[in-house]
């Protein structure tokens, strides 16, 4: 396996969108109470005294929606200025990004992934659960602002859902032609959304690549990124196309990450719930930091087993937490 040096940190489980595949309508979403969220001080203590000492140097802030957390810019600044931080990025829905992009950049954030599942406002609003005023334009403005401010690479995440946005794959791929935008197509996963998943199913990445190949041709990327995406490019395009194929392909051997939820649960594998550690409770009940480091080190040793042996138990759709609660 790759060295595990990448931590995805969920800043908050709440989101200003209600995407049907992530926070499904009618799902009993128990939000974390404010007092159970890791505070900025607790988060920074864990990052500096637990995660960095055991080898994490790359961090992604996510959620829920990270931009709804009022201290998001300060958190970015605190992590970006640590000498050990080799990489800091964020995943956001961009609804609040137009106003925050410059501040985030000035605080040290350089890389951003934005979820954009459709170029059609009505489809976008249906997916994101917008009622009344369309959310598409503010998101598009957020993307344009981030691009102007200089975020690079700027990646757009697309979850492809049959019968919802699968007819837009070529239009979305075309966004990589003239701008250095990197489109990431993500296979739809059955996490906290059994009903929708059973109803719609998922489309494998190779089917999407075939569509793109037939229209423009497709070359395999020169460099494999550190992450799970298989990277391709339309010949002559400025940006790239990535495919994250966790349903059709096992890329556990490339997995370099763990996830920390907004309430302090450290999760070694997205696709199953084995081995999680409740770091917030431990921290608040006075467990010494050297013991927390030891617990995390032990979990790092167990990760290959958790990923491989327990992987299948995670693809059943029976998850206690949705992606918004885990930190996608
Ligand atoms: N609110 C932010 C956003 O919209 O990007 C960050 C959190 S969101 C949970 C992170 C990513 O998880 C998004 O790109 C979203 O599309 C993806 N995601 C959520 N549920 C998913 C699912 N069931 N299958 C595949 N991807 C999913």
């Amino acid at each position: 396996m790759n060295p595990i040096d990448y931590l995805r940190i969920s800043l908050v489980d709440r989101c200003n969108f209600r995407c049907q595949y992530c926070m499904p309508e009618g799902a009993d979403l128990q939000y974390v109470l404010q007092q159970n969220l890791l505070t900025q001080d607790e988060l920074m203590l864990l990052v500096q005294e637990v995660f960095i000492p055991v080898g994490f140097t790359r961090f992604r802030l996510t959620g829920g929606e990270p931009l709804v957390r009022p201290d998001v810019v300060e958190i970015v600044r605190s992590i970006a200025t640590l000498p050990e931080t080799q990489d800091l990025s964020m995943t956001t829905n961009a609804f609040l990004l137009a106003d925050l992009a410059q501040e985030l950049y000035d605080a040290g954030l350089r890389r951003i992934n934005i979820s954009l599942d459709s170029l059609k406002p009505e489809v976008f609003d249906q997916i994101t659960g917008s009622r009344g005023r369309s959310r598409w334009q503010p998101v598009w403005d957020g993307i344009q602002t981030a691009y102007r401010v200089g975020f690079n690479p700027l990646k757009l995440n697309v979850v492809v859902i049959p019968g919802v946005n699968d007819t837009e794959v070529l239009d979305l791929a075309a966004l990589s032609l003239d701008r250095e935008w990197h489109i990431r197509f993500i296979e739809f996963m059955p996490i906290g959304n059994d009903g929708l998943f059973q109803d719609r199913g998922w489309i494998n990445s190779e089917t999407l690549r075939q569509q793109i190949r037939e229209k423009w041709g497709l070359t395999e990327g020169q460099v494999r990124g550190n992450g799970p995406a298989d990277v391709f490019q339309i010949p002559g395009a400025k940006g790239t196309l990535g495919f994250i194929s966790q349903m059709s392909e096992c890329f556990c051997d490339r997995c370099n990450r763990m996830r920390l939820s907004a309430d302090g649960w450290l999760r070694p594998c997205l696709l199953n719930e084995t081995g999680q550690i409740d770091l917030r409770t431990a921290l608040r009940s006075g467990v010494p930091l050297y013991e927390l480091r030891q617990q995390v080190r032990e979990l790092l040793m167990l990760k290959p087993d958790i990923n491989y042996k327990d992987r299948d138990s995670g693809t059943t759709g029976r998850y206690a937490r949705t992606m918004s609660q885990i930190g996608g």
Side-chain angles (χ1 to χ4, degrees):
M1 286 187 73
N2 280 334
I4 315 300
D5 60 358
Y6 175 36
L7 184 67
R8 295 176 77 106
I9 301 173
S10 173
L11 295 186
V12 58
D13 60 335
R14 288 172 191 267
C15 187
N16 41 7
F17 283 8
R18 192 78 204 236
C19 295
Q20 52 177 256
Y21 57 79
C22 186
M23 305 173 90
E25 193 86 15
D28 180 22
L29 287 177
Q30 307 278 343
Y31 291 116
V32 172
L33 297 173
Q34 183 66 29
Q35 67 262 32
N36 291 337
L37 289 176
L38 289 175
T39 63
Q40 187 184 338
D41 286 348
E42 288 170 332
L43 177 59
M44 290 312 298
L45 187 66
L46 287 173
V47 167
Q48 285 179 271
E49 300 296 333
V50 177
F51 291 112
I52 287 176
V54 305
F56 288 90
T57 53
R58 303 185 312 116
F59 305 96
R60 174 175 294 276
L61 304 178
T62 180
E65 171 48 41
L67 297 185
V68 304
R69 182 150 167 160
D71 54 359
V72 61
V73 175
E74 288 160 52
I75 293 176
V76 164
R77 187 173 297 110
S78 306
I79 300 180
T81 48
L82 293 174
E84 296 88 351
T85 299
Q86 287 180 14
D87 185 46
L88 177 63
S89 56
M90 179 181 282
T91 303
T92 171
N93 62 30
F95 185 66
L96 299 173
L97 190 58
D99 286 342
L100 282 169
Q102 189 66 57
E103 268 185 86
L104 290 166
Y105 192 88
D106 294 344
L109 188 69
R110 291 291 178 274
R111 304 204 304 114
I112 204 154
N113 285 27
I114 298 169
S115 298
L116 182 75
D117 293 327
S118 176
L119 291 169
K120 297 180 183 162
E122 63 286 3
V123 176
F124 183 83
D125 290 332
Q126 183 207 332
I127 296 173
T128 56
S130 312
R131 297 210 178 91
R133 237 172 129 191
S134 174
R135 307 269 187 85
W136 191 86
Q137 194 59 49
V139 167
W140 189 247
D141 292 345
I143 296 171
Q144 302 284 351
T145 308
Y147 187 49
R148 268 199 308 278
V149 164
F151 282 96
N152 190 3
L154 190 149
K155 295 185 185 169
L156 301 178
N157 289 351
V158 182
V159 177
V160 182
I161 306 180
V164 176
N165 61 350
D166 54 330
T167 52
E168 292 189 60
V169 167
L170 293 177
D171 293 337
L172 286 157
L175 295 176
S176 71
L177 291 173
D178 303 327
R179 283 160 287 208
E180 221 184 305
W181 288 4
H182 305 276
I183 320 301
R184 295 282 177 267
F185 294 101
I186 305 172
E187 286 175 352
F188 178 32
M189 289 181 288
I191 296 189
N193 54 29
D194 340 2
L196 181 71
F197 189 83
Q198 271 160 26
D199 183 38
R200 298 292 176 165
W202 55 283
I203 302 181
N204 71 42
S205 298
E206 182 48 29
T207 305
L208 308 184
R209 283 196 290 267
Q210 195 47 37
Q211 277 184 43
I212 298 167
R213 219 176 261 126
E214 278 165 18
K215 174 141 177 121
W216 291 289
L218 200 55
T219 53
E220 203 148 337
Q222 303 294 313
V223 197
R224 175 176 279 303
N226 283 319
D230 296 311
V231 183
F232 292 75
Q233 196 163 33
I234 296 172
K238 290 193 172 149
T240 62
L241 302 178
F243 297 85
I244 303 182
S245 316
Q246 68 287 341
M247 296 298 290
S248 62
E249 185 198 325
C250 171
F251 49 69
C252 296
D253 56 334
R254 278 191 263 150
C255 182
N256 56 354
R257 61 198 58 195
M258 287 200 186
R259 289 177 157 79
L260 181 68
S261 69
D263 56 350
W265 281 89
L266 181 64
R267 180 183 180 111
C269 172
L270 174 62
L271 285 175
N272 73 72
E273 298 184 330
T274 314
Q276 301 179 73
I277 308 177
D278 179 359
L279 290 173
R280 174 185 49 95
T281 303
L283 196 62
R284 290 188 188 174
S285 45
V287 176
L289 292 166
Y290 69 81
E291 252 180 55
L292 296 186
R293 283 194 287 274
Q294 191 50 32
Q295 286 180 24
V296 176
R297 270 196 197 102
E298 281 165 19
L299 194 59
L300 284 166
M301 310 276 281
L302 287 173
K303 184 170 159 70
D305 269 4
I306 292 173
N307 278 35
Y308 287 103
K309 292 193 188 148
D310 295 321
R311 179 184 152 100
D312 285 346
S313 67
T315 47
T316 58
R318 285 189 294 277
Y319 283 87
R321 294 192 139 185
T322 62
M323 281 291 273
S324 64
Q325 293 164 322
I326 298 165

